[in-house]
Amino acid sequence: MNVNLQTHLTTGQFAKLMNVSKDTLFHYDQIGIFSPEIKDENGYRYYLINQMDVFNVISTLKELDMSLNEIKNYLDRRSPTELISLLENKKEALERRIQTLERRRTMIMEKTFLTKRATSIDVSAITIEQVNEERLFLTNAAPFLGDKSIYESMLKHQHSLKKHNIDAPISSGWMLNSNKIKKNQVFSYDHLFTRVGKASSKSNFVKKEGNYLTAYHTEGYSSVRKTYEKILNYANKTGRTIEGYFYEDVLLDELSVEGYEKYLIKIAVNVVV
Amino acid sequence: MNVNLQTHLTTGQFAKLMNVSKDTLFHYDQIGIFSPEIKDENGYRYYLINQMDVFNVISTLKELDMSLNEIKNYLDRRSPTELISLLENKKEALERRIQTLERRRTMIMEKTFLTKRATSIDVSAITIEQVNEERLFLTNAAPFLGDKSIYESMLKHQHSLKKHNIDAPISSGWMLNSNKIKKNQVFSYDHLFTRVGKASSKSNFVKKEGNYLTAYHTEGYSSVRKTYEKILNYANKTGRTIEGYFYEDVLLDELSVEGYEKYLIKIAVNVVV
DNA sequence: TTGCTCCTCACGTCACGTGAGGTGGC
DNA sequence: TTGCTCCTCACGTCACGTGAGGTGGC
């Protein structure tokens, strides 16, 4: 056999060069998608450097989410025109993928920020926060008739999000008109909101910038009303006027704590100082 | 059993809401990572809307490349501080991922462009092309002593790329000092180059902008010298002065054609008009 | 009753990974 | 001889997917 170790690479060498495991090369040989140029009598595989090109093609196509079978099929009928249409398809897929990952990245950063703040917060304090404008997507909440209406509202909100193609949302919460609390009416939410990012066209409501009277609730949803009233009392005592909606946000959720009772809920409402 | 179809979702409904298959939910139930809140006597599963949160957590972590087992482990010991360190890790992984995909996107666009042009080229023509500056990463080619030195050079180039962390390169090729061709010296390449994008700090050579006398070779590497001489003759005949390096690029490679003999090779050299 | 959904096995698949046990070249 | 690399099975794994065959509610 004409095996020159200067120019022919063993399975291990080629694997190293291509940043894959030897098993991968065995596997490719076995399914017939990529075999060494030379097989010695003793069964040793020898790859040529120029096989790198072919291997790179396979890697590239694989990273474009093609299965080995699809790749094999493409390679069997490859041509410049086939390649162009393949690449144009893949380009779009890739861009969608990148967008998803970008959104996920914003989500992660947002979540990290919120969680960090949540761990350093004095949950018993009432503060005034300067808040920037935010774009929200709202749906109406069902009139409150027990847990059932909460479920209904959430379900409806989810379906709306799906319908409007809002995926990987940043965060969601509830809204409640402050007049209801002022007038001591029945405690029932008006809207569910989902933050949609500044650039999004999906927003149907703008939460205006300004000063928000903010408090935290730590004892689970069932007693959340107490904190609404705490805010109202505080505003009355300090002579401030509450305006618009209460915004209810979850700072610590299932990602970091287990069960609704441990959630950290933030309640904020615009005040005219 | 207290099953209320208004507030409890069946496996199918929940699957639809979460954009996954029913099998996924069965699977999650089986491995104990995510089970329905309620199992009826007849074995029917019922999920609560608020289980969406938990499921979303799993989806999110999965998209951060965690295995179901890792996710289960994290969920079992979750806490705000654990979450923060997890997210910070994942953020970096995500950014590396996005970068890779971005590079791949440029590569795809570049490749599409080149392939499109390659299919519309008159391969027998010699033309003068206006070319922008390009940043290259060079390694020296081994002195030509047959195929072996070609392999050695390629191997060395690849190892250099790996060493300098240049992955997903745009395209590579060979360089040959035009004086050698002019003086009819032995045909042997001087460098291998890899394009590294304008912003990269990895470049160690700048291919200058200017007019490049360009021809194409279609009969495989072994006879490539003919086209070099064709260019030289053309320059002499038209009274142009050739300068610097010949750049040898492959326009159609294994991605679209099978085998070196079918490659479309582009050869270009700077001319002072 | 029909059509749709629910269930549980058990086996398949995809792209390798993981030993186990043995060979071969400097 | 030692250490490293090569090989071939065969079985495992991960995250489901795919029938097959049967049940249950409006």
Side-chain angles (χ1 to χ4, degrees):
Chain A
M1 264 287 160
N2 186 19
V3 174
N4 181 338
L5 286 178
Q6 237 80 49
T7 57
H8 300 91
L9 302 169
T10 65
T11 312
Q13 290 174 316
F14 195 76
K16 213 168 184 180
L17 192 62
M18 296 289 98
N19 272 326
V20 296
S21 76
K22 263 168 46 171
D23 308 279
T24 303
L25 294 177
F26 288 141
H27 185 58
Y28 286 5
D29 188 14
Q30 203 182 1
I31 65 171
I33 193 178
F34 179 72
S35 298
E37 204 71 18
I38 297 171
K39 270 208 179 182
D40 211 348
E41 296 122 348
N42 57 11
Y44 277 36
R45 292 166 177 80
Y46 292 102
Y47 296 85
L48 302 182
I49 301 272
N50 54 32
Q51 291 196 265
M52 270 180 25
D53 281 7
V54 191
F55 190 88
N56 278 329
V57 172
I58 295 173
S59 300
T60 305
L61 296 181
K62 209 154 57 90
E63 300 208 55
L64 300 180
D65 274 332
M66 287 173 77
S67 75
L68 293 181
N69 229 316
E70 287 173 313
I71 294 173
K72 208 179 159 195
N73 286 336
Y74 168 73
L75 290 179
D76 287 347
R77 59 158 215 281
R78 66 185 131 171
S79 77
T81 30
E82 283 286 338
L83 178 65
I84 290 168
S85 78
L86 179 72
L87 289 184
E88 281 172 349
N89 281 339
K90 291 304 175 186
K91 190 192 153 207
E92 290 187 16
L94 202 54
E95 278 168 356
R96 280 197 300 275
R97 183 82 156 274
I98 289 173
Q99 283 223 348
T100 309
L101 293 186
E102 292 281 12
R103 269 204 304 272
R104 211 163 300 285
R105 200 179 67 105
T106 353
M107 192 265 273
I108 285 187
M109 288 173 63
E110 189 81 10
K111 205 79 191 172
T112 311
F113 177 75
L114 288 178
T115 310
K116 273 187 177 163
R117 226 185 33 185
T119 56
S120 66
I121 264 172
D122 174 4
V123 294
S124 63
I126 298 188
T127 56
I128 291 188
E129 273 185 34
Q130 240 298 95
V131 173
N132 290 331
E133 182 179 295
E134 290 181 322
R135 311 229 150 224
L136 310 180
F137 173 79
L138 303 191
T139 59
N140 294 325
F144 186 69
L145 304 160
D147 280 358
K148 189 173 143 181
S149 46
I150 298 281
Y151 288 159
E152 258 172 38
S153 302
M154 289 177 75
L155 196 53
K156 193 176 142 195
H157 190 67
Q158 285 308 312
H159 281 305
S160 264
L161 287 179
K162 271 194 76 168
K163 211 166 122 189
H164 289 80
N165 288 318
I166 303 173
D167 42 338
I170 300 171
S171 61
S172 297
W174 296 85
M175 285 164 63
L176 194 158
N177 196 317
S178 60
N179 287 326
K180 285 188 186 165
I181 300 285
K182 282 188 205 161
K183 295 177 185 162
N184 207 21
Q185 287 175 9
V186 62
F187 187 87
S188 104
Y189 294 105
D190 297 293
H191 304 288
L192 276 101
F193 69 81
T194 289
R195 292 192 175 74
V196 289
K198 288 157 206 158
S200 174
S201 60
K202 307 288 174 62
S203 150
N204 58 13
F205 186 83
V206 177
K207 180 184 170 196
K208 63 176 183 177
E209 69 166 337
N211 292 302
Y212 282 76
L213 198 53
T214 306
Y216 299 91
H217 188 80
T218 54
E219 299 157 39
Y221 278 123
S222 49
S223 60
V224 78
R225 179 171 195 163
K226 275 168 39 182
T227 302
Y228 279 83
E229 277 156 6
K230 191 170 133 190
I231 292 177
L232 193 66
N233 291 336
Y234 181 88
N236 287 338
K237 226 167 49 194
T238 56
R240 294 173 209 268
T241 310
I242 276 173
E243 202 178 78
Y245 288 99
F246 280 94
Y247 293 86
E248 189 180 309
D249 260 295
V250 176
L251 297 194
L252 297 181
D253 60 11
E254 290 293 331
L255 257 174
S256 56
V257 297
E258 200 175 346
Y260 276 163
E261 325 77 51
K262 293 187 181 157
Y263 281 26
L264 177 60
I265 299 161
K266 171 181 167 180
I267 297 156
V269 64
N270 198 359
V271 281
V272 187
V273 188
Chain B
M1 265 286 161
N2 186 20
V3 174
N4 182 338
L5 286 177
Q6 238 79 50
T7 58
H8 301 89
L9 303 169
T10 66
T11 312
Q13 291 173 315
F14 195 75
K16 213 168 183 179
L17 192 61
M18 295 290 97
N19 271 327
V20 295
S21 76
K22 263 168 47 170
D23 308 279
T24 303
L25 294 177
F26 287 142
H27 186 58
Y28 287 4
D29 189 13
Q30 204 183 0
I31 65 172
I33 192 179
F34 179 72
S35 298
E37 204 70 17
I38 296 170
K39 270 208 180 184
D40 211 348
E41 296 123 348
N42 55 12
Y44 277 37
R45 292 166 177 79
Y46 292 101
Y47 296 86
L48 301 183
I49 301 271
N50 54 32
Q51 292 196 266
M52 270 180 24
D53 282 8
V54 191
F55 190 89
N56 278 329
V57 172
I58 295 173
S59 300
T60 305
L61 296 181
K62 209 154 57 91
E63 299 208 56
L64 300 179
D65 273 331
M66 287 172 75
S67 74
L68 292 182
N69 229 315
E70 287 173 311
I71 294 173
K72 207 180 159 192
N73 286 337
Y74 168 73
L75 290 179
D76 286 346
R77 59 160 215 282
R78 65 185 132 173
S79 76
T81 31
E82 283 284 340
L83 178 66
I84 289 168
S85 77
L86 180 72
L87 289 183
E88 280 172 350
N89 282 340
K90 291 304 175 186
K91 189 193 153 207
E92 290 186 16
L94 203 55
E95 277 169 356
R96 280 198 301 277
R97 184 82 156 272
I98 290 173
Q99 282 223 347
T100 309
L101 294 185
E102 292 280 12
R103 269 204 304 272
R104 212 165 298 286
R105 201 179 67 105
T106 356
M107 192 265 274
I108 285 187
M109 288 173 64
E110 190 80 11
K111 205 79 189 170
T112 311
F113 178 74
L114 288 178
T115 310
K116 273 187 176 165
R117 225 183 35 184
T119 56
S120 65
I121 265 171
D122 174 4
V123 294
S124 63
I126 298 188
T127 56
I128 291 189
E129 272 186 34
Q130 238 303 92
V131 173
N132 291 331
E133 183 180 294
E134 289 180 322
R135 311 227 149 227
L136 310 180
F137 172 80
L138 303 192
T139 59
N140 293 324
F144 184 70
L145 306 160
D147 280 357
K148 189 175 143 182
S149 44
I150 297 280
Y151 288 159
E152 258 173 37
S153 302
M154 290 177 75
L155 196 53
K156 192 175 142 198
H157 190 67
Q158 285 308 313
H159 281 306
S160 263
L161 287 179
K162 271 193 75 167
K163 209 166 123 189
H164 290 80
N165 288 318
I166 304 173
D167 44 338
I170 299 172
S171 62
S172 298
W174 296 84
M175 285 163 62
L176 194 157
N177 195 316
S178 59
N179 287 325
K180 285 188 187 165
I181 300 286
K182 282 188 204 160
K183 296 177 185 162
N184 206 21
Q185 288 176 8
V186 62
F187 186 88
S188 104
Y189 294 105
D190 297 292
H191 305 287
L192 275 101
F193 68 81
T194 288
R195 292 193 175 74
V196 289
K198 288 157 206 157
S200 174
S201 60
K202 307 287 174 63
S203 150
N204 58 13
F205 185 83
V206 176
K207 179 184 170 197
K208 63 176 183 178
E209 68 166 336
N211 292 302
Y212 281 75
L213 198 52
T214 306
Y216 300 92
H217 187 80
T218 54
E219 298 158 39
Y221 279 122
S222 48
S223 60
V224 77
R225 180 170 195 167
K226 275 167 39 181
T227 302
Y228 279 82
E229 278 157 6
K230 191 170 131 190
I231 292 177
L232 192 66
N233 291 336
Y234 181 89
N236 287 338
K237 227 168 45 194
T238 57
R240 293 173 210 266
T241 309
I242 276 173
E243 201 179 77
Y245 288 100
F246 280 94
Y247 294 86
E248 188 181 309
D249 260 296
V250 175
L251 295 194
L252 297 181
D253 61 12
E254 291 292 332
L255 257 173
S256 56
V257 297
E258 199 175 345
Y260 276 166
E261 326 76 51
K262 292 187 182 159
Y263 280 25
L264 178 59
I265 300 162
K266 171 182 167 179
I267 297 157
V269 64
N270 197 1
V271 281
V272 188
V273 189

